[in-house]
Amino acid sequence: MEASAPPPYSSAESSQPIYPFVPPPVYGEPATDVKSGPPPDEQPKQPAAPEVPNGPPPMRWFANICGCFDNILLAMQTLFFPCFTELQLAYKVGMFPFGLLLTFCTFTVYALPFVCIGLMLVTDKYFFLPFITILFMGALGFLRVGFHTHLRTTVRTKSRIVGSGFNDFIYSLFCYCCALCQEVQHVELVEKNTNFNISRA
């Protein structure tokens, strides 16, 4: 007796697996995120954009320190009547009250020798006047240099010129008239050739 063949399976039954595969759970492995890359805290930082300073761009002195004779009238005025040049500069920079104080020191330094000589010619009782005059002239002279250093530093910083207060002091001490002429010419040229007003900076 021959064994009968098994009945054929239908197409619907053949498409279903007999034993469906279920992957076993895996323990001990860290969970992976879909997103790749470092955590948000470790993201590379973009370089900050350079800060643009407010105000006009840096400038240079428009007049040379030895260019006194570029303006002969200004040079002669500064040599013989420095008070007028100091007031002119202080007014243009917006420091007129400070310029009055500087002018007082300059006028006193120039006038003290003449007062001393006049008193000594009139009478011989004031034999100590030369010593007092020298002391006052020295004190007011250094005060005058300090005031002018501050005025020159103000012009330089408002004009955004690279420099230092020490250089301003050296120019005020040894090249007073030349530095004063340079500052006045610089302010005038800046106001003439640019739209920048130093007094309002």
Side-chain angles (χ1 to χ4, degrees), residues 75-100:
M76 300 302 291
Q77 173 185 310
T78 306
L79 180 62
F80 294 104
F81 305 101
C83 299
F84 294 103
T85 308
E86 293 166 352
L87 284 177
Q88 180 181 356
L89 176 62
Y91 177 77
K92 289 180 177 294
V93 179
M95 301 175 61
F96 187 74
F98 185 83
L100 291 175

Side-chain angles (χ1 to χ4, degrees), residues 40-100:
D41 296 339
E42 299 180 2
Q43 291 288 344
K45 296 181 180 180
Q46 297 294 333
E51 295 183 0
V52 179
N54 297 326
M59 294 192 297
R60 58 176 179 81
W61 289 106
F62 284 3
N64 192 9
I65 188 65
C66 297
C68 307
F69 292 100
D70 293 342
N71 189 337
I72 300 296
L73 294 178
L74 179 63
M76 300 302 291
Q77 173 185 310
T78 306
L79 180 62
F80 294 104
F81 305 101
C83 299
F84 294 103
T85 308
E86 293 166 352
L87 284 177
Q88 180 181 356
L89 176 62
Y91 177 77
K92 289 180 177 294
V93 179
M95 301 175 61
F96 187 74
F98 185 83
L100 291 175

Side-chain angles (χ1 to χ4, degrees), residues 35-182:
K35 298 180 180 180
S36 61
D41 296 339
E42 299 180 2
Q43 291 288 344
K45 296 181 180 180
Q46 297 294 333
E51 295 183 0
V52 179
N54 297 326
M59 294 192 297
R60 58 176 179 81
W61 289 106
F62 284 3
N64 192 9
I65 188 65
C66 297
C68 307
F69 292 100
D70 293 342
N71 189 337
I72 300 296
L73 294 178
L74 179 63
M76 300 302 291
Q77 173 185 310
T78 306
L79 180 62
F80 294 104
F81 305 101
C83 299
F84 294 103
T85 308
E86 293 166 352
L87 284 177
Q88 180 181 356
L89 176 62
Y91 177 77
K92 289 180 177 294
V93 179
M95 301 175 61
F96 187 74
F98 185 83
L100 291 175
L101 187 60
L102 176 61
T103 302
F104 170 76
C105 294
T106 302
F107 178 79
T108 308
V109 168
Y110 276 70
L112 272 178
F114 296 99
V115 174
C116 177
I117 294 173
L119 290 176
M120 292 182 66
L121 291 176
V122 172
T123 178
D124 56 352
K125 296 180 179 180
Y126 302 102
F127 62 92
F128 55 86
L129 275 179
F131 304 101
I132 297 179
T133 302
I134 292 174
L135 290 177
F136 269 95
M137 286 183 63
L140 291 175
F142 275 102
L143 209 62
R144 175 196 185 197
V145 169
F147 288 156
H148 178 258
T149 301
H150 176 66
L151 188 61
R152 181 179 176 86
T153 303
T154 302
V155 174
R156 182 176 55 80
T157 52
K158 286 188 174 184
S159 301
R160 303 173 66 87
I161 299 174
V162 179
S164 63
F166 180 75
N167 290 338
D168 298 335
F169 173 76
I170 294 299
Y171 282 123
S172 300
L173 182 62
F174 295 104
C175 307
Y176 187 87
C177 292
C178 294
L180 197 58
C181 288
Q182 181 192 29

